[in-house]
Amino acid sequence: MRKILIVGAGQSGLQLALGLQSRGYELTLMSSRTADEIRGGRVMSTQCMFHTALGHERDLELNFWEERAPRAWGLGVSVAGPPAPGGHPRVIDWVGRLDGYAQSVDQRIKMAGWMETFEQRGGQVVIHGAAVSDLDVLARKYDLALVAAGKGELVSLFGRDAARSPYDTPRRALAVAYVHGLGPRPEHPDVDAVRCNLVPGVGELFVMPALTNSGRADILFWETVPGGPADSFQGITDPSEHLERVLELMEHFTPWEYARATKVELTDAGATLSGRYAPTVRHPIGRLPGGGLVLGVADVVVANDPITGQGSNSAAKCAAAYLESILERGDRPFDEEWMRTTFDRYWESARHVTKWTNAMLAPPPEHIVNLLGAGSAFPAVAHRIANGFDDPSDFENFFYEPEKTAAYLDEVREETRAAEAEAAEAEVAEAEVEACDVAEATEVEACDVAEAIAAEVCAVAGADDEVEADDRVPEAVRSFR
């Protein structure tokens, strides 16, 4: 039985540990906190997961909270215009339907629950904040050591990949609040949706349904431009003051969202989070002082800004890719070449996330503004952008290059015109059929009436006047046609 060490108990570390455990591997999981400490601590992220990532959890039968968590069937985009009396108006607003619903389960629930499940199934959990010196000793006892803890000293083992990391400073300041009492969007009161509100020069506000310790909740998540007019959370430690600032920014910059947030309250004392970090891609292999090698997992090696909501999705996809690679390896050594190939398998999907995320952190060029605007006029555009959150690789086909965007919008317009023409022809054909049916029915009715009159004439005239009555029938028929 092969022995594997995983340092870090987040989405990727626990998902991979449980997946390997189910295949008979001997696992040791290191975590800096117990399950109870995680469950009773501060929120860790927004973790909205889309169809593909949720599918990886289902494949391992780890979707314990799927029936309880709200299902977001839509993803909406709103863009604020220049300030006006009463706040910033919306100049773009639409909702695209997701092909598969999205869900957000508070990581305090999920990580604590998964850790307890891992232990119940016989896994060994070591509660210790591992340092490089600890890992140098421990790694020698295992066939493979993986680092899935995205913060702390161990990250220093993985050097920054400058070619894949265009930013060396934070591009957004982050502020999260979990709340109860958020009202529905009046445009679609019966449909849960993830809402992305873009305020040029200020930042973004994301609103999404979630499941937390106290039940159904909503997440209010500001991403503000550092040094900009909404960058105002530094130094705030009181949760109530944090929420107050979130709402003040909503009232000024996104009044359409603030209108349904006037009665919200925090879900619990640990329901707020703030911070900032530079998005970074790192080299996947860390070399320990004693010469041993460790493989980085998920945001240890690919840490994107959460502006595109891909953190937990990428972690789940990374764990799935690594699981497949480990199983395929069999009894052969987990050497440096295998580690590099394993990371490359994950990078094949992660590179699309990184490219898209970095593009969204920059001021949008004109063709992207036009594309977002087209979502209001063409449901097909809204649908495609929305489902790109599940499969970011599709953005290569229509998002980044002005020529591809223009060609795509021309295609949508042509398809829309063709569909409208086909619908108009069908409507005309239906009207013609209806007219024919009416005419036929009228003619039949006329004939029936004429026959009845003829019969009545014959009855009145009697046998002696039969010839004369027959002469009157043609005239009676003509009068009803």
Side-chain angles (χ1 to χ4, degrees):
M1 183 182 296
R2 309 206 75 178
K3 297 174 63 176
I4 295 178
L5 170 68
I6 297 177
V7 182
Q11 174 77 36
S12 57
L14 277 163
Q15 180 182 318
L16 181 57
L18 286 159
L20 289 169
Q21 184 184 52
S22 69
R23 298 302 187 95
Y25 287 74
E26 184 178 334
L27 268 294
T28 297
L29 180 73
M30 294 190 72
S31 172
S32 60
R33 295 187 292 169
T34 66
D36 286 340
E37 288 172 338
I38 292 171
R39 187 180 288 112
R42 186 174 294 277
V43 295
M44 295 179 279
S45 68
T46 56
Q47 75 278 311
C48 183
M49 298 180 68
F50 295 90
H51 178 71
T52 300
L54 292 174
H56 292 312
E57 295 185 358
R58 296 186 192 107
D59 291 343
L60 297 175
E61 298 183 352
L62 299 176
N63 53 329
F64 302 153
W65 303 274
E66 185 165 8
E67 295 305 314
R68 293 172 51 202
R71 301 180 178 186
W73 278 104
L75 187 138
V77 171
S78 300
V79 179
H88 291 247
R90 280 177 291 182
V91 294
I92 294 174
D93 185 63
W94 51 258
V95 177
R97 183 171 177 82
L98 296 169
D99 291 336
Y101 56 78
Q103 289 186 307
S104 174
V105 177
D106 188 337
Q107 288 194 340
R108 295 178 297 180
I109 297 176
K110 183 187 288 187
M111 301 308 112
W114 278 0
M115 187 183 295
E116 290 168 342
T117 299
F118 177 75
E119 287 188 284
Q120 290 165 4
R121 294 176 178 177
Q124 181 182 10
V125 175
V126 176
I127 305 301
H128 180 66
V132 172
S133 57
D134 298 317
L135 193 56
D136 193 26
V137 175
L138 288 169
R140 301 169 192 170
K141 302 177 181 179
Y142 294 88
D143 297 299
L144 174 64
L146 302 111
V147 177
K151 298 177 182 178
E153 180 183 324
L154 296 185
V155 177
S156 65
L157 290 169
F158 306 92
R160 180 173 178 269
D161 187 340
R164 293 171 170 172
S165 305
Y167 302 120
D168 56 10
T169 59
R171 310 306 294 175
R172 292 292 187 273
L174 317 175
V176 174
Y178 283 51
V179 299
H180 290 312
L182 185 72
R185 261 299 189 98
E187 300 93 335
H188 49 87
D190 300 324
V191 177
D192 276 323
V194 179
R195 301 293 318 199
C196 309
N197 300 277
L198 315 180
V199 187
V202 175
E204 299 80 27
L205 169 70
F206 298 88
V207 183
M208 65 195 75
L211 176 70
T212 188
N213 287 321
S214 50
R216 160 66 194 253
D218 287 278
I219 301 173
L220 309 177
F221 175 32
W222 271 108
E223 285 226 348
T224 64
V225 175
D231 182 10
S232 56
F233 288 89
Q234 286 182 296
I236 296 179
T237 58
D238 178 73
S240 296
E241 185 181 353
H242 180 106
L243 177 59
E244 183 179 349
R245 185 62 51 83
V246 167
L247 295 175
E248 287 174 354
L249 295 177
M250 290 175 64
E251 183 177 18
H252 183 69
F253 294 111
T254 59
W256 57 90
E257 296 288 13
Y258 176 75
R260 61 192 186 115
T262 56
K263 297 181 180 180
V264 301
E265 58 183 12
L266 292 174
T267 58
D268 60 273
T272 61
L273 179 69
S274 62
R276 62 186 75 196
Y277 63 90
T280 306
V281 177
R282 300 182 179 90
H283 295 290
I285 302 172
R287 192 173 299 276
L288 296 166
L293 302 178
V294 293
L295 177 61
V297 183
D299 60 356
V300 170
V301 286
V302 184
N304 289 303
D305 188 280
I307 190 171
T308 54
Q310 296 297 300
S312 293
N313 294 272
S314 293
K317 293 173 183 178
C318 181
Y322 280 23
L323 174 61
E324 185 176 353
S325 187
I326 291 170
L327 296 177
E328 289 174 357
R329 193 63 175 171
D331 294 329
R332 289 171 290 168
F334 298 113
D335 55 21
E336 184 170 356
E337 181 183 355
W338 174 86
M339 289 183 176
R340 202 167 299 282
T341 301
T342 296
F343 171 77
D344 289 343
R345 170 182 278 181
Y346 167 53
W347 179 248
E348 184 56 33
S349 66
R351 65 186 179 91
H352 296 293
V353 175
T354 297
K355 182 175 182 178
W356 177 40
T357 301
N358 289 340
M360 292 302 294
L361 288 170
E366 183 179 0
H367 75 279
I368 290 182
V369 174
N370 293 338
L371 179 66
L372 294 177
S376 298
F378 302 105
V381 174
H383 174 267
R384 190 168 188 180
I385 295 174
N387 285 278
F389 281 74
D390 179 51
D391 178 16
S393 67
D394 187 40
F395 288 117
E396 291 284 355
N397 301 314
F398 72 101
F399 191 83
Y400 303 112
E401 301 170 32
E403 297 78 11
K404 288 185 178 180
T405 300
Y408 169 59
L409 292 180
D410 286 343
E411 178 185 329
V412 170
R413 293 187 188 100
E414 183 58 35
E415 289 176 351
T416 301
R417 281 194 290 267
E420 290 175 347
E422 184 177 350
E425 290 177 2
E427 186 175 346
V428 170
E430 184 178 353
E432 289 177 348
V433 169
E434 184 177 348
C436 290
D437 290 344
V438 170
E440 183 178 348
T442 302
E443 183 173 351
V444 169
E445 182 179 355
C447 290
D448 290 343
V449 171
E451 290 177 3
I453 292 175
E456 184 177 350
V457 169
C458 289
V460 171
D464 293 339
D465 299 326
E466 185 175 348
V467 175
E468 183 180 352
D470 286 342
D471 291 339
R472 295 177 192 146
V473 170
E475 183 177 352
V477 171
R478 284 195 297 272
S479 68
F480 278 89
R481 288 190 175 177

